[in-house]
């Protein structure tokens, strides 16, 4: 059984081949420009977000500013047991 897809067969007319190549290049170009615009927006947005965050953090450290509530520690403490794969695990 032979599978024939209409979009994958090679066009025999030279003008159709040339138009296909030009259309493909245009689509690739548009996608590249769109990708660069998105990357630029994300880069500028991320930079502005970092600057804003640092600015807010700097204002909080000003001596005349209102005191903030005590922060909870960011470290979680607990007991951990190393489980080896060679021995069966016994639950306590």
């Amino acid at each position: 059984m032979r599978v024939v897809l209409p979009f994958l067969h090679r066009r025999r007319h030279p003008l159709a081949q040339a138009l296909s190549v030009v259309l493909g290049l245009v689509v690739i170009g548009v996608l590249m420009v769109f990708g660069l615009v998105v990357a630029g927006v994300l880069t500028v947005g991320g930079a502005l977000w970092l600057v804003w965050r640092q600015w807010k953090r700097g204002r909080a450290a000003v001596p005349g500013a209102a005191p903030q509530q005590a922060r909870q520690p960011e470290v979680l403490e607990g007991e951990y047991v190393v489980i080896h794969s060679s021995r069966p695990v016994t639950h306590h």
Side-chain angles (χ1 to χ4, degrees):
M1 176 181 276
R2 185 173 171 198
V3 177
V4 178
L5 297 174
F7 300 113
L8 296 178
H9 73 281
R10 185 174 168 173
R11 289 165 179 74
R12 295 175 191 235
H13 196 276
L15 185 59
Q17 285 181 343
L19 287 175
S20 295
V21 169
V22 169
L23 181 65
L25 290 175
V26 167
V27 168
I28 289 173
V30 167
L31 290 175
M32 287 179 63
V33 169
F34 181 72
L36 287 174
V37 168
V38 169
V41 167
L42 288 174
T43 302
V44 170
L48 289 174
W49 179 72
L50 285 174
V51 167
W52 179 73
R53 193 170 149 208
Q54 290 296 323
W55 181 70
K56 292 282 278 189
R57 194 177 281 180
R59 287 195 57 176
V62 173
Q68 293 183 351
Q69 295 178 352
R71 295 183 63 192
Q72 295 293 327
E74 295 180 7
V75 177
L76 295 177
E77 294 185 19
E79 296 181 12
Y80 302 97
V81 177
V82 177
I83 299 175
H84 298 284
S85 61
S86 61
R87 291 184 287 171
V89 178
T90 58
H91 298 284
H92 299 227

